[in-house]
Amino acid sequence: MQSASEILIDLRQASKSESALQISLSDDFFTAIGQDEISGGHLAVNILVREQAYECFVVNLSVEGEVTVPCDRCMEALVMPIEAEGDVKVYAGDSDYVTDDDVKTPIGGGYKYDLAWDIFETTLLSLPLQRVHDIEDCNPEMVAMLSREDDEEEDD
Ligand SMILES: [Zn+2]
């Protein structure tokens, strides 16, 4: 049983498979990975691995579902839909030969690669910069307080 914060795949084995690996992630993943931008969610992730060249793998991630983030205006939970896709390049050979920052290497060598952080980043980068409720869904007390603050600033 692997821990909730790790999504280990065997690159070589996965690259030989015709079909995508499918995993689902829920709240405990976002807690276990150690970040505070996304507080929870449910994601279905498809992982397709190709060996592009000897020991060079391209991992295609497609992520769908929803995540919970704090609303930028009222700070309360805001559920946002996610539909994202991204490629991760992983070189499983001697990491001394890797000079490109975009190319990842498995920690400790071998073909076992932890995708957890790549899945998190793909999800996070797909979120809009402005994450707010529709104004009528925002916490009304917070909205009232914020508009009072705006008024005070205008008085200065
Ligand atoms: Zn809000």
Side-chain angles (χ1 to χ4, degrees), residues 14-148:
S15 70
K16 289 181 179 142
S17 164
E18 296 281 308
S19 51
L21 290 164
Q22 295 179 315
I23 56 167
S24 53
L25 300 173
S26 50
D27 293 347
D28 56 349
F29 169 73
F30 296 100
T31 318
I33 197 172
Q35 49 78 41
D36 52 16
E37 292 182 81
I38 297 177
S39 60
H42 295 278
L43 297 176
V45 186
N46 277 329
I47 303 162
L48 196 60
V49 183
R50 283 173 292 129
E51 188 165 7
Q52 200 176 39
Y54 182 64
E55 312 257 277
C56 290
F57 297 89
V58 176
V59 184
N60 177 258
L61 297 174
S62 108
V63 185
E64 240 186 282
E66 56 184 37
V67 296
T68 307
V69 294
C71 168
D72 289 338
R73 193 190 291 125
C74 73
M75 301 307 287
E76 294 207 351
L78 167 67
V79 175
M80 304 220 75
I82 295 291
E83 206 181 325
E85 210 178 319
D87 283 333
V88 184
K89 289 182 210 155
V90 188
Y91 181 61
D94 189 337
S95 59
D96 289 348
Y97 293 112
V98 177
T99 50
D100 186 340
D101 286 345
D102 288 340
V103 178
K104 314 281 182 81
T105 52
I107 293 166
Y111 293 98
K112 287 257 163 67
Y113 180 73
D114 180 8
L115 271 175
W117 201 253
D118 297 301
I119 292 172
F120 172 70
E121 279 187 340
T122 302
T123 306
L124 188 67
L125 291 175
S126 76
L127 288 168
L129 287 176
Q130 272 267 342
R131 302 162 198 164
V132 289
H133 292 112
D134 290 335
I135 186 76
E136 63 267 28
D137 294 332
C138 262
N139 179 335
E141 284 172 33
M142 190 62 95
V143 173
M145 202 176 83
L146 289 174
S147 59
R148 269 201 303 277

